[in-house]
Amino acid sequence: MNSDSGMTGRGGKRRGTQHLTPAGVKILETASRLFYEQGIRAIGVEAIAEAAGVTKKTLYDRFGSKEDLILAYLRARDGLWRSTLVKHVNEQDGTPEHKLLATFGALRKWMRERNPRGCAFVNAYVELPEDHPGQEVAREQKAWLLAYLEDLATEAHAEDPEALGSQLLILHEGACIANSMRSVEQAAERAEQMAAVLIAKALSERPATP
């Protein structure tokens, strides 16, 4: 788990990072695991403090409230997903088209290692009330992913990068749901196969270079 509670930019770099003490890191790691595995509303600060081996006072000293700890959890997970995705894509040596497809390779690895219960941001969005700032963090995460996919589509010279980015985002989200519900086997692989068709079509429709 990323130990800071900062957001990251479109290139995967962190912004607004907040230094945490070792106790703060332990609290955040523990809260992140429990929030994801058992649900945000099902877990109280008492359970987090006990599992982290700290007092409730230490937890409140580091994070102020459970609501602030929820925000730190979502922002840290957001930063980890962004850096994981961007790093995986940047490691690919192929064409921009291959980098678009590589986002599904990153998704497959992420789902296998860190996302068995579905998207943490979707889960949080459903659990939290409409006026909770955590919902905005979840929306920002999806907006970043859409913009990132659109940027990759632009680099690939897709005729309509916005449309292609939206289509690929829907495939990403659908694969997460299908994987967590076990409704489709090899959901990420199947999503990647569909993405390859969409990408090929989008690139075939681009104007010919004079």
Side-chain angles (χ1 to χ4, degrees):
M1 170 59 63
N2 194 345
S3 61
D4 68 64
S5 59
M7 301 289 285
T8 56
R10 286 170 68 173
K13 295 182 179 179
R14 303 184 187 97
R15 69 174 187 273
T17 57
Q18 173 182 322
H19 176 71
L20 292 177
T21 64
V25 171
K26 181 64 175 178
I27 292 167
L28 181 54
E29 288 177 342
T30 302
S32 297
R33 175 176 56 82
L34 294 175
F35 283 154
Y36 182 73
E37 292 178 354
Q38 300 184 38
I40 289 173
R41 290 306 173 193
I43 295 297
V45 293
E46 295 87 352
I48 295 170
E50 181 179 357
V54 301
T55 64
K56 285 173 59 177
K57 181 181 184 303
T58 298
L59 186 150
Y60 286 125
D61 284 346
R62 299 301 185 275
F63 293 95
S65 68
K66 179 183 176 182
E67 302 312 308
D68 288 333
L69 183 54
I70 291 170
L71 290 177
Y73 152 62
L74 291 173
R75 288 169 177 160
R77 190 171 178 92
D78 180 22
L80 183 59
W81 166 231
R82 293 189 193 200
S83 61
T84 298
L85 175 62
V86 171
K87 180 176 183 294
H88 181 87
V89 171
N90 288 344
E91 288 174 346
Q92 308 306 308
D93 295 328
T95 63
E97 299 96 291
H98 290 146
K99 290 188 175 184
L100 275 169
L101 281 177
T103 64
F104 291 90
L107 177 64
R108 182 168 59 251
K109 185 174 185 291
W110 178 262
M111 291 195 304
R112 182 176 64 250
E113 297 178 357
R114 298 183 179 274
N115 221 49
R117 297 190 68 251
C119 177
F121 306 102
V122 172
N123 295 347
Y125 195 88
V126 172
E127 281 198 77
L128 296 173
E130 290 187 3
D131 60 345
H132 196 287
Q135 284 204 343
E136 181 60 26
V137 175
R139 284 191 293 266
E140 287 176 356
Q141 202 291 315
K142 300 306 178 184
W144 173 84
L145 179 56
L146 176 60
Y148 182 65
L149 292 169
E150 289 175 351
D151 285 347
L152 291 177
T154 298
E155 292 174 11
H157 303 293
E159 183 200 19
D160 190 340
E162 290 77 15
L164 181 57
S166 297
Q167 291 169 334
L168 298 181
L169 176 65
I170 290 171
L171 287 178
H172 268 257
E173 299 300 299
C176 281
I177 294 172
N179 181 72
S180 64
M181 297 183 66
R182 299 182 176 87
S183 55
V184 176
E185 292 185 2
Q186 297 182 314
E189 290 84 347
R190 293 175 184 267
E192 183 174 354
Q193 292 168 0
M194 290 185 282
V197 174
L198 290 173
I199 292 169
K201 183 175 185 297
L203 299 188
S204 70
E205 293 173 345
R206 62 191 173 188
T209 303

